[in-house]
Amino acid sequence: MKTVIMAGGQGTRISSVAKDIPKPMIKIEGVPVLEREIECLKNQGFNDIIITVSHLGNIIMDYFGDGTGISPVTGKPFGVHIEYYFEKEPLGNAGALFKIKDKLTSDFLLLNADAIFDVDFNRFVNFHQRHGGLVTLFTHPNSHPYDSGLIIADKSGAVEKWIAKEDERPQYYRNCVNAGLHVIAPKVLELANIDADSIGKMGENGKPVKVDLDRQLLKPLAGTGMMFCYASPEYVKDMGTPERYYSVCADYKEGRVSGKNLKNKQKAIFLDRDGTINRYVGFLRNIDDFELIDGVAAAIRKINEVGYLAIVVTNQPVVARGEVSFEELEEIHNKMETILGKEGAYLDAVYYCPHHPHKGYEGERSELKINCDCRKPNPGMLLKAAEDFNIDLAQSWMIGDSESDVKAGINAGCKTVLLNNKDEDYGQTITVDSLSKFVANYI
């Protein structure tokens, strides 16, 4: 599969770090960002690369050549085949695709050269091929969803709505952010109905014709069933500002960038919801009753920063009892993610059990009145998360305020935390009275 890397940005926001080289050549721990990207691709078998360049592009071309040479930094072969397309005039962030479309005869990876990433691309591509769409977007939660492009998808991953930064967004939303990595079928270029010869020439408005990837090619596919999102907690971060650049440097130094690749075993902190994240009000049926416990957002932000996955696993029998619909439950979780996002914290995944074994409630949903493997103290939700994200359960924690939380963690093989200030022993590893105190003292 070919990989197209867009490396033509001028990097004006990060010019204080390096203004005499193109942004993709800025070094992270002594190695240019673009070289790290190419190394990640090569190690996974993606060695046929086209790089689009413009601003100071000769520096990139001189450094990498056709990919058969030796790295001046590492002394190792690049080990790839590289072609270039040089934009003499700015074509927008997708205009070059139309200039090289004759080379794009099958599905291809499209990546941004100004993002730091270390992801399992084969896993990403396999998802794309299984779902059979024209486009698969790599999505993830981040610490600033309130000013990021958001993707709304159904349970199968089909993109229903694309919310750009300038679009009005709903009051509550899932923290599902477009990360700028894509698998794209060439047919997308045909569907856009754009004349390649006109790109770069003067348009009717007196300005050169440019093509915007998100707004002209991808956003129109939302709701068509032809575009899917691949949700992953792997490391992808825009280094477009000095602050983000220095943050990435710190993450590289601590091993958090490569460590988040799903080829590697992950560590997770599994969190009960009611009484752990939000104030306990009994069966939470009304979204207005959802309120974060003081200090929880800061605690989850610390979990994010040190490299654990933050995963909610919650029993929600109110669905089986007919008191809350699936849609209402999802909106409650959207509120949780929105509030956390405003505090710079995020959840990597939310799993819930909608079942309840006891019958006899007015309005109950009989199909959900079953004994299941996912209802805590059974470990089903934790085991499913471990399968989805390659989690080492023995190095992970289950945190909750009840016996069923502790037992679910023990049954899954996790270390366990009981949030309580009473002398109760369910076999938990430790007892503390808040998530904040656990985070402050144990991770």
Side-chain angles (χ1 to χ4, degrees):
M1 175 178 283
K2 281 188 183 295
T3 300
V4 178
I5 302 177
M6 297 184 290
Q10 295 192 18
T12 53
R13 293 179 300 162
I14 200 173
S15 58
S16 63
V17 174
K19 58 184 178 182
D20 57 345
I21 60 173
K23 185 163 60 168
M25 295 303 290
I26 294 174
K27 292 183 179 180
I28 304 289
E29 288 293 290
V31 180
V33 169
L34 184 53
E35 184 169 354
R36 291 192 178 278
E37 294 185 357
I38 290 172
E39 180 74 8
C40 177
L41 290 162
K42 180 196 72 174
N43 289 343
Q44 299 180 59
F46 297 88
N47 53 19
D48 189 1
I49 299 171
I50 302 175
I51 303 177
T52 67
V53 296
S54 59
H55 179 65
L56 301 176
N58 59 297
I59 295 175
I60 293 174
M61 294 189 290
D62 291 344
Y63 185 92
F64 293 101
D66 64 1
T68 61
I70 304 295
S71 167
V73 172
T74 67
K76 299 177 182 178
F78 294 119
V80 294
H81 171 71
I82 301 177
E83 299 178 69
Y84 299 93
Y85 179 81
F86 197 104
E87 297 183 22
K88 296 179 181 179
E89 300 291 340
L91 305 179
N93 60 8
L97 294 179
F98 291 86
K99 301 297 186 180
I100 62 171
K101 66 179 182 179
D102 290 345
K103 298 179 182 293
L104 305 175
T105 57
S106 59
D107 293 3
F108 59 95
L109 278 170
L110 178 64
L111 315 176
N112 289 316
D114 57 358
I116 308 301
F117 57 73
D118 195 327
V119 306
D120 186 342
F121 281 108
N122 284 299
R123 186 182 178 120
F124 181 27
V125 170
N126 287 340
F127 176 96
H128 171 78
Q129 292 172 340
R130 288 197 312 272
H131 286 74
L134 294 181
V135 173
T136 300
L137 309 172
F138 189 109
T139 60
H140 63 164
N142 75 10
S143 60
H144 52 102
Y146 48 83
D147 67 357
S148 300
L150 296 174
I151 304 299
I152 297 176
D154 65 18
K155 292 184 182 300
S156 73
V159 176
E160 297 179 328
K161 191 172 182 180
W162 180 301
I163 303 176
K165 292 180 182 180
E166 68 272 15
D167 293 337
E168 182 179 354
R169 56 191 62 204
Q171 181 180 11
Y172 303 125
Y173 47 81
R174 184 182 169 202
N175 188 338
C176 182
V177 175
N178 178 26
L181 313 181
H182 324 74
V183 185
I184 298 180
K187 188 176 179 181
V188 171
L189 303 180
E190 300 174 15
L191 292 175
N193 195 28
I194 293 173
D195 179 13
D197 292 334
S198 68
I199 300 171
K201 296 180 180 179
M202 299 301 291
E204 294 180 359
N205 60 0
K207 298 180 180 179
V209 175
K210 300 179 182 179
V211 182
D212 185 276
L213 175 69
D214 291 353
R215 291 160 182 78
Q216 291 179 260
L217 271 64
L218 302 183
K219 187 176 180 180
L221 294 177
T224 66
M226 295 188 292
M227 182 165 62
F228 292 82
C229 70
Y230 169 78
S232 172
E234 292 170 294
Y235 195 102
V236 183
K237 185 172 286 189
D238 171 19
M239 58 153 207
T241 66
E243 180 183 20
R244 291 180 187 174
Y245 167 74
Y246 292 121
S247 173
V248 167
C249 290
D251 287 340
Y252 254 109
K253 194 169 185 177
E254 296 297 324
R256 286 191 282 268
V257 177
S258 60
K260 295 298 286 286
N261 189 306
L262 288 180
K263 292 184 295 182
N264 303 317
K265 281 291 184 181
Q266 304 296 308
K267 297 185 299 182
I269 292 181
F270 295 101
L271 301 165
D272 176 45
R273 196 192 77 180
D274 303 316
T276 300
I277 292 176
N278 57 288
R279 297 187 185 281
Y280 183 76
V281 295
F283 288 125
L284 195 157
R285 304 175 180 89
N286 189 325
I287 192 170
D288 293 335
D289 293 332
F290 183 95
E291 182 182 355
L292 286 186
I293 296 171
D294 291 344
V296 159
I300 294 177
R301 186 168 65 245
K302 177 68 178 299
I303 292 170
N304 302 148
E305 290 170 352
V306 299
Y308 279 87
L309 301 181
I311 298 176
V312 169
V313 287
T314 176
N315 289 348
Q316 290 299 319
V318 287
V319 179
R321 289 159 57 111
E323 296 168 346
V324 172
S325 68
F326 281 108
E327 293 74 20
E328 289 169 330
L329 180 60
E330 294 284 354
E331 189 66 1
I332 290 170
H333 290 161
N334 287 347
K335 179 177 181 179
M336 175 171 61
E337 294 205 48
T338 302
I339 296 172
L340 287 171
K342 290 179 179 178
E343 297 293 328
Y346 58 85
L347 300 168
D348 291 288
V350 176
Y351 294 82
Y352 62 83
C353 170
H355 307 114
H356 191 241
H358 304 141
K359 300 180 180 179
Y361 295 88
E362 184 178 355
E364 67 185 16
R365 300 181 62 164
S366 58
E367 73 276 13
L368 299 177
K369 288 290 183 174
I370 61 172
N371 287 303
C372 63
D373 295 328
C374 55
R375 179 175 168 81
K376 295 177 294 184
N378 294 324
M381 288 186 284
L382 288 80
L383 298 179
K384 180 65 167 64
E387 178 185 356
D388 290 344
F389 299 120
N390 193 22
I391 294 170
D392 183 348
L393 292 167
Q395 297 299 313
S396 301
W397 294 85
M398 173 68 219
I399 303 177
D401 64 337
S402 71
E403 179 180 7
S404 66
D405 296 319
V406 172
K407 296 298 184 184
I410 292 172
N411 290 335
C414 296
K415 295 172 283 187
T416 55
V417 181
L418 178 65
L419 299 183
N420 206 322
N421 54 15
K422 300 177 182 177
D423 186 20
E424 296 177 328
D425 185 0
Y426 304 125
Q428 66 268 20
T429 309
I430 57 173
T431 301
V432 295
D433 62 12
S434 70
L435 180 61
S436 296
K437 286 190 177 179
F438 166 76
V439 168
N441 292 289
Y442 294 97
I443 66 168

